[in-house]
Amino acid sequence: MKRYRPHIFVMIALAIVLAGGWHNSLRHALADFRFGWQPRQASGDIVVIAIDASSIDRIGVWPWPRLLYSELIRQLQKADVQDIALDVDFSTPSDASSDRNFAEALQSAGGSVVLPSFQQPRTDRTTLHVNRPLQQFAEHSWPALVNVEVGSDGLVRRYPFGEKLDGKFVPAMAAVLAGQYDEKRTPFLIDFSIRTAGIPKVSFAEVLRGDPATLQKLQGKKVIIGGTALELGDRFSVPNGVIVSGPVLQTLAAESLLQNRALQWTSPVVTLTGLALLALLMLFSWRRLSAGKRVALLAATAVVVEASAFALQAAFPLIPDTSLFHIAIIVYIAAIALDEIDIRDLLGRVAESRFQRVAMSLGDGLICTDSNYLITVWNPGATAIFGYLPEEMIGQPFDEICARDADTPAFSVKNAAELAAGTVIEFEGRRSNGEVFPVEASFSGWQGTDGFQFGAILRDISVRKREAERIRYLAEHDTLTGLINRNTLHAKLEAKIARAEADGRRVALLVVGIDGFQQVNDMLGHASGDLVLRAISERLMAVMPATGLVARLSGDEFAIAVPTIAIGQNVSRFAEQIGAGFDEPLLAGTRHLRVRVSIGAAVFPSDGRTAAELLSNSHMALSRAKATRRGGHVLFEDSIRRELETRLTLEAELALAAERNEFELFYQPQLHLADGRLVGAEALIRWRHPERGLVSPGEFMPVVNTSPISERIAEWVLETACTKAAAWERAGQKLRIGVNLSPSQLQSGDLASSVAQALARTGLSPTSLELEVTEDILLHDEQSALNTFLKIQALGVRLVFDDFGTGFASLSYLKKFPLDGLKIDRSFVLGLLANPDDAAIVSSTIGLSKQLGLSVIAEGIEDRATADFLVSMGCGEGQGYFFGRPMPASEFEARFLAAPAAAEVA
């Protein structure tokens, strides 16, 4: 029995190791060691597009809008990449427009995009929730599982080919990229000999801006997009002390498959065979060789076994499990040493030495105490954190490093000693210079030879705390003015509303808009604009009660939320006070600028019961203030919302009417007053509503002229009028056709080109087209209007000033602009016979026009006497109900083109 005792000792030790699973750490360490000494290069076929720190700095605070991913996919399509894998969560909706744009980008990619699915614990921590891409995204992409298994040692080693989610197999992302997913295949071990440094990486921001060199690197590659920045937290620990990001880990798994390195452990049969051979070797040599020679033989055997394992792991997708073999060798050596040395004393010295080495090399602070909480170990990390030398602290109570405050009781190690081992605690520490700072500590306890002892690993987390506070501040405030932003205002306004509702009080929300702020930026530059915004924020803060809030909503809009009790319950007077605060010029740098503001206000609870409703209604009131009384204020009323809803309904109906061709042109004749000869017609738009019949232009044209469809309708009017006039011209009836211009046509900057194209398409003679402009069109940009008019006149088209006499600057416009004629407004013509003032104005206008070489046409002629009187004044042309109301083209042709116009008038 004594002869077999070492071998029985080895078997018992191996059984204990197997039962406890302790050999796993060794076999992992050996495999990791081989990885470190067998480097492999990545194939380069998979590129990581990194959401790195520089991309976040350029683009903005995370998370990003999905429009960025849409643009990225389009850039990748330009680069002709093979497959696109996004390691980003798309399981929750954002705003509808961004989601729709992203779905369109996925569809345009033609199914080459892989989106992640993953499981995560629900709030009850007992069940799992499956996060999948939204259905609208899933329809145009491949699903892929991105969950990875973290081992008991906290490292990721194994990777699945896929997993069943809700009964349906979902392949893993790396398997999809490698094209090797199979429901029946078991998970494999990632080959960490593939060096992460060799994996190609490019920055998200460089791809997004379409950098040609970056896109060239991606041509023909497969790409994985995901977060690599530290602040995103998508990090995994892998063998050999390496920490990699999620997309890099997915790339390593895909590279393992592509390089046929889906590793598996060798069979237990191989291990048992090796152990049997080792046992036979020891049985044969135990009594034949000395202790030293047996140790040498065991060491040589270990070297041979490990060298063989190196070769096998390098040549085949296998990881030889030599852990039990090495453990057996170590136990055999221990058995040999039992009779040679005092193993217990040796182990104690080794353990003590190892502990000292570990303790002294830790970057974190390590402090150990005895059962009385007196410090026994103080490593260099603790010195770096607290500033005390070991000789100053050994033998001192642990609580000496804890901050003491008269109001707050100091943290005590006795409190931590009562908690479970490994519990992480934060407390206020004090450095040797007296500085108080936050400390994170992990405490543990154990039974030592001298009694129960305690240990703590400590970190200085003051930098982390400051960074967290900075990130929170940036998320809640406007970086330019320092005011709270829209999101923070919304949250704080909801809190104020809740308190006001409980107290039965009111809360006012005022939205302040800067009038003409764009002009400041255009004339002085954005730097001066920023100074103006800062000065405005300071002025708003100056009038704000202590219980109020000031926020910056957007570029030139601010908001003030204040309980009405703090402003004497009079919101209107408070708004006036704010406006009066801008009577004095603002100091922006070295400039003094005068700024006016318009204000819209809404009050809880009468004008809204939530923050969102108050913001919406205040904005509507501000829009009314800007439209009707710039520099003033408007309090929200229900009529404002009703008017907006009516306008929105009418805009929708107008857009539908344009699609259904419900618009048509009526024509009002224009005649030569002296002989009644037809000289032209004015084209006037009409809307034939399917239910309401013919709708008056006065009802819908003001909406058309300020809506997005204005330019579309104006181009239709021009094209239709030119087409009809060209048809009459080809039939031998050459008439001058008058078309009213809309503001949108002039603001587009392409009016002259549109006119030229319309003439070319329809074949109408340029001299037969007359464009009528009004003063409100000219107010926007006089120089641009002048340039456009010169181009139009160069085409041979006439320009006529419509509604002359009603504007404050009409005479100045006759001097500034190259006009061919003017139309006297009907308001003067209707009272011509009865009102001497009207007669004087009309007579002066006719005389002025003749001196300037302009033609004159009078509008609103309703009887023969008025027509004759105009002839006597020298007016050449006229139009009005006396000659004919606006009428459809067919009626106009029947009345005026089938027979001489003079006969009709007579």
Side-chain angles (χ1 to χ4, degrees), residues 471-549:
I471 291 172
R472 187 189 66 80
Y473 179 85
L474 292 175
E476 295 179 354
H477 292 77
D478 171 50
T479 55
L480 176 63
T481 62
L483 300 177
I484 59 175
N485 59 23
R486 178 186 289 270
N487 292 335
T488 308
L489 171 69
H490 191 280
K492 293 191 175 184
L493 181 56
E494 286 287 6
K496 283 186 177 293
I497 289 173
R499 288 194 295 271
E501 189 171 24
D503 299 338
R505 296 181 176 178
R506 301 190 305 156
V507 177
L509 179 66
L510 298 88
V511 176
V512 181
I514 308 170
D515 296 337
F517 180 68
Q518 186 59 44
Q519 295 178 357
V520 175
N521 278 336
D522 293 343
M523 291 188 298
L524 304 179
H526 288 276
S528 295
D530 290 346
L531 293 175
V532 169
L533 291 172
R534 290 195 189 99
I536 289 173
S537 67
E538 292 170 1
R539 194 156 291 187
L540 291 177
M541 289 295 295
V543 300
M544 179 53 46
T547 55
L549 299 171

Side-chain angles (χ1 to χ4, degrees), residues 31-42 191-198 240 259 261 310 313-314:
D32 297 346
F33 181 73
R34 296 174 205 138
F35 287 148
W37 283 81
Q38 297 172 343
R40 293 176 179 273
Q41 293 302 317
D191 187 356
F192 289 105
S193 64
I194 300 173
R195 293 294 179 253
T196 57
N240 294 322
Q259 297 187 34
R261 296 292 294 172
F310 261 83
Q313 187 168 324

Side-chain angles (χ1 to χ4, degrees), residues 41-116:
Q41 293 302 317
S43 66
D45 294 333
I46 302 177
V47 181
V48 173
I49 298 179
I51 302 176
D52 51 14
S54 65
S55 296
I56 293 176
D57 288 341
R58 291 188 191 180
I59 297 174
V61 177
W62 183 268
W64 292 338
R66 287 186 179 148
L67 288 173
L68 296 181
Y69 300 106
S70 305
E71 179 60 25
L72 182 75
I73 290 173
R74 296 187 176 99
Q75 292 289 357
L76 294 175
Q77 288 179 269
K78 293 180 184 177
D80 195 26
V81 300
Q82 290 186 17
D83 294 312
I84 304 169
L86 278 157
D87 191 8
V88 179
D89 185 12
F90 293 96
S91 63
T92 56
S94 63
D95 66 277
S97 175
S98 295
D99 286 350
R100 184 168 57 253
N101 191 291
F102 183 64
E104 291 172 357
L106 292 175
Q107 185 175 11
S108 69
S112 64
V113 179
V114 181
L115 295 184

Side-chain angles (χ1 to χ4, degrees), residues 338-356:
L338 282 174
D339 295 330
E340 303 294 329
I341 59 176
D342 184 354
I343 192 67
R344 183 174 180 180
D345 181 64
L346 176 63
L347 290 176
R349 291 199 304 272
V350 169
E352 179 68 21
S353 174
R354 180 176 297 173
F355 173 78
Q356 289 295 330

Side-chain angles (χ1 to χ4, degrees), residues 579-755:
F582 290 90
D583 290 341
E584 294 296 324
L586 289 173
L587 179 61
T590 58
R591 294 177 178 270
H592 285 82
L593 301 174
R594 290 192 176 274
V595 172
R596 291 194 312 170
V597 296
S598 298
I599 303 171
V603 180
F604 166 84
S606 58
D607 300 334
R609 303 195 66 85
T610 66
E613 290 177 357
L614 287 181
L615 274 169
S616 174
N617 294 339
S618 297
H619 271 107
M620 280 191 276
L622 175 63
S623 298
R624 171 66 66 85
K626 284 182 174 290
T628 60
R629 46 192 308 181
R630 278 182 173 258
H633 69 276
V634 170
L635 302 184
F636 176 78
E637 299 174 348
D638 286 339
S639 60
I640 297 176
R641 180 176 292 278
R642 288 195 298 271
E643 288 178 13
L644 178 61
E645 291 173 349
T646 300
R647 176 185 173 87
L648 292 175
T649 300
L650 186 56
E651 283 187 356
E653 288 184 341
L654 287 168
L656 194 59
E659 294 176 2
R660 295 177 175 176
N661 297 319
E662 293 175 4
F663 295 112
E664 61 180 286
L665 289 186
F666 278 28
Y667 298 88
Q668 186 174 25
Q670 297 174 336
L671 286 83
H672 192 275
L673 295 178
D675 56 14
R677 175 171 45 86
L678 181 69
V679 294
E682 181 178 2
L684 300 167
I685 190 170
R686 294 293 185 267
W687 178 14
R688 199 173 294 278
H689 195 279
E691 296 176 0
R692 292 188 286 164
L694 210 58
V695 182
S696 167
E699 181 178 345
F700 69 87
M701 282 308 296
V703 176
V704 168
N705 287 334
T706 56
S707 69
I709 64 169
S710 173
E711 189 171 354
R712 174 183 174 185
I713 292 177
E715 289 179 356
W716 176 85
V717 170
L718 178 63
E719 184 81 15
T720 305
C722 290
T723 300
K724 180 57 68 176
W728 291 337
E729 193 173 89
R730 287 192 295 270
Q733 300 285 350
K734 184 175 175 60
L735 297 178
R736 185 185 66 219
I737 193 76
V739 177
N740 291 282
L741 292 179
S742 74
S744 61
Q745 287 176 291
L746 201 60
Q747 292 167 17
S748 69
D750 200 28
L751 175 59
S753 176
S754 298
V755 171

Side-chain angles (χ1 to χ4, degrees), residues 119 214 247 278 307 310 447 553 591 679 683 718 742 773 777 858 892:
Q119 293 178 315
T214 303
L278 178 64
F310 261 83
Q447 182 65 45
L553 299 180
R591 294 177 178 270
V679 294
L718 178 63
S742 74
V773 298
I777 293 178
F892 181 84

Side-chain angles (χ1 to χ4, degrees), residues 107-148:
Q107 185 175 11
S108 69
S112 64
V113 179
V114 181
L115 295 184
S117 298
F118 56 94
Q119 293 178 315
Q120 63 181 15
R122 297 181 186 271
T123 54
D124 59 9
R125 298 293 180 182
T126 60
T127 58
L128 294 176
H129 170 70
V130 178
N131 282 25
R132 302 176 185 275
L134 295 175
Q135 182 60 34
Q136 65 191 98
F137 303 156
E139 291 175 355
H140 306 295
S141 63
W142 288 89
L145 186 73
V146 294
N147 285 106
V148 292

